[in-house]
Amino acid sequence: MHLFEHWPEPGVDDDKKKGFFDQVRRLNSSYPGGLVSYIQNAKKLLADSKAGKNPYDGFTPSVPSGEVLTFGNDNFVSLEAAGVKEARNAAFVLVAGGLGERLGYKGIKVALPRETTTGKCFLQHYIESILSLQEASCKMVGDGCHTKIPFVIMTSDDTNALTIKLLESNSYFGMEPSQVKILKQEKVACLADNDARLALDPNDKYKIQTKPHGHGDVHSLLYSSGLLEQWKNEERKWVLFFQDTNGLLFNAIPSALGVSATKGYNVNSLAVPRKAKEAIGGITKLTHVDGRTMVINVEYNQLDPLLRATGHPDGDANCETGYSPYPGNINQLILELGPYIEELKKTHGAISEFVNPKYTDSTKTAFKSSTRLECMMQDYPKTLPPSAKVGFTVMDTWLAYAPVKNNPEDAAKVPKGNPYHSATSGEMAIYRANSLILRKAGAQIADPVVDTFNGQEAEVWPRITWSPRWGLTFKDIKEKVCGNSSITQRSALVINGRNIFLEGLLLDGTLIVNAVDEAEVKLTGPVQNKGWTIQHVDYKDTSEKEEIRIRGFKFEKVEQLEVNYTEPGKHSLSA
């Protein structure tokens, strides 16, 4: 056995040898079916890879059925209400196993500021959004409902300790610690060659080299943790999965959950309109020659050749809407709990895997470096029976999707017109979405100006941000915007509190409003000051913090009006 070739005689390094077997035990117990199953799966996938086998051989693509929503119309508003009502029957699962290295940030991604006007990090925003949903859902149902929505965070060796520290040092951002469960994923063994021989760690002959298995592990971790059965006993109905740095996601959650509830979807993938050939997977219905069907994310580099090979000479092309008929997958899933549990009983949470070896040459006989099997959370529907109701919900990109994953250098190289998906674009997208939502609610919001940060052109809208308890749904916001309010382009507005009303506010500068829930505050009349100016920051400028450098800008807080309402009752801010 190649793993033991370099072992000295008994009595030498015995502790390290014991450590080796401890590691083998861990690797064996954390993979459905153990290491034997892992190696068998690897052999098959490596043989297919070497043979250049097409994973979609025998399948014909077609456009699946789903819902396309228009922000703010009656249908959207009623679906949001249905979703808020269902939220108390839901559990949320965040996959957060990644560090921000690709971003040029050394910490965990969920600790990054979602936006720098308030500096609230992604994790704080997610927790506050879940708590607001919890409160609104209970209020809607009445009957003294005190349901707590469970929140699971999947971490990895890289992020586990830092995630726990972030939660504990911030008192869980207002959530009860008992609501939060951390599940740590283990890495998987690396493979040295096409025969799936396990690779030793180059720095330690008593260790098998390991690498991350991907966020698909979340399903097996939930299955083995016993949480799903616990939720079922509590009569919960939905599990919502989301990823670590999409600051707009909770704009989409209420209406998407409403779609799941009204359409009875077992699986609902959140999606955005997708331009043909855009570097984002397309949600596709695949029908096999043997009659099997599945609705699944097909990666963009596979969708075009698949369409061409099955009678679509133009491949992945835009239709009359100006977008591809295959909506863009954004990796946020809503699963119905009952059918999900039944499926996992069969698979134990094992997700269909893939392997992506980097070969040394075209003979495909040797690897440049060891490889491993990987799996993706969104591949869960691959094993579902044809009877499963699998659909999607499409929402405008500006409303629902602005992930932060590329560092400034990579983002600046993105072809013109394509999304940067950087810290710069992620923050600017929040201000744009909030500005457009307030516009739709009847406020006059100035047009943006275009500026360039770290080589990326961005629309700079007024820096408007609010706490989730102020505006969870469009109906909430519409009820709080009345009269003729206007906000200039150079302004910033921060709303912290539930009952704050814009009634003829004329803002030209920076206004921060903090109010306790029992205070009702009307913002009226002109507020004018020098405000906060935007300063450019070069990403190479090491005198600035990483989270500022990767954005390319910071705020110079010249002048502001900050008002705090700590007493219950009716208040009015008027100049």
Side-chain angles (χ1 to χ4, degrees):
M1 180 72 170
H2 68 286
L3 296 173
F4 306 109
E5 278 167 6
H6 310 288
W7 280 31
E9 64 276 9
V12 179
D13 286 348
D14 281 2
D15 284 348
K16 288 182 178 174
K17 291 173 184 169
K18 282 184 184 138
F20 171 84
F21 289 111
D22 284 340
Q23 186 197 19
V24 168
R25 262 195 294 277
R26 257 198 331 277
L27 290 169
N28 191 55
S29 64
S30 64
Y31 186 86
L35 272 171
V36 171
S37 186
Y38 180 74
I39 292 165
Q40 283 168 347
N41 294 341
K43 281 182 173 167
K44 183 183 176 310
L45 287 166
L46 285 163
D48 288 351
S49 171
K50 188 179 179 186
K53 191 176 168 201
N54 175 0
Y56 298 117
D57 212 21
F59 283 103
T60 305
S62 59
V63 181
S65 65
E67 292 295 298
V68 180
L69 305 188
T70 303
F71 174 75
N73 69 7
D74 291 348
N75 180 47
F76 185 88
V77 169
S78 71
L79 284 169
E80 278 200 322
V84 169
K85 192 174 179 187
E86 282 296 324
R88 69 195 183 101
N89 301 321
F92 283 82
V93 180
L94 168 64
V95 292
L99 291 167
E101 288 162 329
R102 189 172 141 195
L103 280 166
Y105 175 65
K106 289 195 185 71
I108 51 173
K109 289 198 277 187
V110 292
L112 257 179
R114 172 177 171 261
E115 37 75 21
T116 49
T117 297
T118 66
K120 278 187 190 180
C121 69
F122 280 102
L123 190 58
Q124 178 171 358
H125 175 71
Y126 295 151
I127 287 179
E128 287 181 355
S129 299
I130 293 168
L131 291 173
S132 296
L133 271 170
Q134 175 179 295
E135 203 173 341
S137 194
C138 282
K139 202 170 161 188
M140 198 180 256
V141 186
D143 72 17
C145 158
H146 296 296
T147 309
K148 300 273 183 272
I149 296 177
F151 180 37
V152 174
I153 305 173
M154 181 175 82
T155 61
S156 65
D157 285 331
D158 293 332
T159 64
N160 193 62
L162 291 167
T163 303
I164 292 168
K165 187 180 169 195
L166 181 64
L167 286 164
E168 288 178 347
S169 58
N170 290 284
S171 311
Y172 287 75
F173 298 109
M175 194 174 253
E176 288 182 16
S178 59
Q179 272 174 269
V180 183
K181 290 277 184 289
I182 305 267
L183 298 179
K184 184 166 81 77
Q185 68 179 135
E186 293 292 339
K187 291 178 176 168
V188 288
C190 288
L191 308 160
D193 54 30
N194 278 325
D195 297 323
R197 297 195 330 160
L198 299 182
L200 282 171
D201 188 319
N203 305 315
D204 185 347
K205 64 183 177 187
Y206 296 109
K207 255 198 188 136
I208 293 169
Q209 190 182 7
T210 58
K211 286 184 184 172
H213 190 221
H215 47 52
D217 278 351
V218 71
H219 302 293
S220 60
L221 280 170
L222 282 171
Y223 178 77
S224 60
S225 70
L227 284 171
L228 298 175
E229 288 295 340
Q230 186 186 320
W231 294 342
K232 189 180 166 187
N233 294 337
E234 294 164 0
E235 298 187 357
R236 298 194 185 277
K237 278 193 344 216
W238 310 101
V239 189
L240 289 89
F241 295 84
F242 64 109
Q243 287 191 279
D244 43 19
T245 55
N246 177 10
L248 297 178
L249 171 72
F250 276 86
N251 293 343
I253 293 264
S255 54
L257 186 52
V259 168
S260 280
T262 53
K263 291 280 169 190
Y265 284 157
N266 304 148
V267 177
N268 183 5
S269 293
L270 266 66
V272 293
R274 176 182 161 278
K275 290 279 189 192
K277 302 181 182 59
E278 191 184 324
I280 169 175
I283 295 170
T284 310
K285 181 176 183 177
L286 296 174
T287 307
H288 197 267
V289 284
D290 63 14
R292 278 181 296 146
T293 62
M294 56 183 172
V295 176
I296 195 73
N297 170 61
V298 175
E299 286 306 328
Y300 65 96
N301 55 347
Q302 295 172 316
L303 184 58
D304 187 65
L306 178 63
L307 283 161
R308 287 178 192 278
T310 51
H312 302 81
D314 296 337
D316 182 16
N318 292 329
C319 62
E320 64 282 357
T321 60
Y323 288 96
S324 162
Y326 297 92
N329 166 53
I330 62 169
N331 268 2
Q332 325 287 342
L333 296 175
I334 303 177
L335 304 185
E336 191 182 348
L337 180 62
Y340 180 48
I341 290 176
E342 290 313 304
E343 179 61 19
L344 293 195
K345 280 179 182 164
K346 291 181 237 163
T347 63
H348 291 193
I351 293 298
S352 105
E353 292 163 308
F354 61 95
V355 70
N356 191 11
K358 304 285 183 277
Y359 300 106
T360 50
D361 58 34
S362 58
T363 63
K364 295 188 176 180
T365 45
F367 304 158
K368 284 181 184 168
S369 60
S370 63
T371 189
R372 85 292 198 178
L373 300 191
E374 296 178 71
C375 63
M376 297 192 291
M377 166 177 93
Q378 66 273 26
D379 280 346
Y380 162 75
K382 279 191 174 172
T383 53
L384 294 179
S387 57
K389 285 193 75 173
V390 182
F392 61 76
T393 303
V394 179
M395 269 176 249
D396 293 311
T397 308
W398 68 261
L399 180 72
Y401 188 54
V404 175
K405 49 192 182 186
N406 290 327
N407 65 49
E409 252 175 309
D410 290 345
K413 290 178 196 149
V414 166
K416 200 166 168 55
N418 283 358
Y420 296 118
H421 292 171
S422 66
T424 312
S425 60
E427 177 160 352
M428 290 302 179
I430 289 164
Y431 305 138
R432 178 180 60 181
N434 291 345
S435 294
L436 290 172
I437 291 167
L438 285 190
R439 248 189 205 179
K440 187 90 179 159
Q444 289 176 16
I445 310 295
D447 285 335
V449 298
V450 174
D451 201 343
T452 302
F453 306 98
N454 280 339
Q456 304 159 60
E457 219 174 66
E459 284 187 355
V460 184
W461 289 79
R463 275 66 68 205
I464 299 170
T465 169
W466 55 73
S467 55
R469 59 194 308 105
W470 183 75
L472 184 65
T473 64
F474 182 56
K475 182 170 177 276
D476 291 340
I477 293 165
K478 226 175 154 182
E479 285 168 357
K480 293 171 187 169
V481 178
C482 34
N484 218 354
S485 294
S486 71
I487 299 174
T488 62
Q489 186 279 330
R490 66 179 201 88
S491 295
L493 172 64
V494 177
I495 303 175
N496 278 320
R498 187 203 304 267
N499 297 307
I500 296 169
F501 297 82
L502 274 60
E503 294 194 9
L505 169 72
L506 308 172
L507 177 61
D508 181 34
T510 295
L511 172 63
I512 299 166
V513 187
N514 304 305
V516 294
D517 280 354
E518 302 73 34
E520 190 177 299
V521 180
K522 289 184 176 168
L523 307 178
T524 61
V527 172
Q528 192 165 25
N529 54 48
K530 294 193 179 105
W532 296 2
T533 59
I534 296 179
Q535 308 282 311
H536 287 73
V537 173
D538 188 281
Y539 71 92
K540 298 188 192 81
D541 179 358
T542 52
S543 69
E544 296 288 353
K545 288 181 174 169
E546 281 180 330
E547 57 259 42
I548 296 298
R549 284 160 53 191
I550 60 175
R551 280 162 217 274
F553 62 85
K554 65 177 181 180
F555 297 119
E556 180 86 25
K557 300 182 179 181
V558 185
E559 194 181 6
Q560 65 192 49
L561 174 62
E562 180 161 0
V563 286
N564 298 296
Y565 297 94
T566 54
E567 297 297 320
K570 297 195 169 185
H571 307 268
S572 177
L573 168 79
S574 49

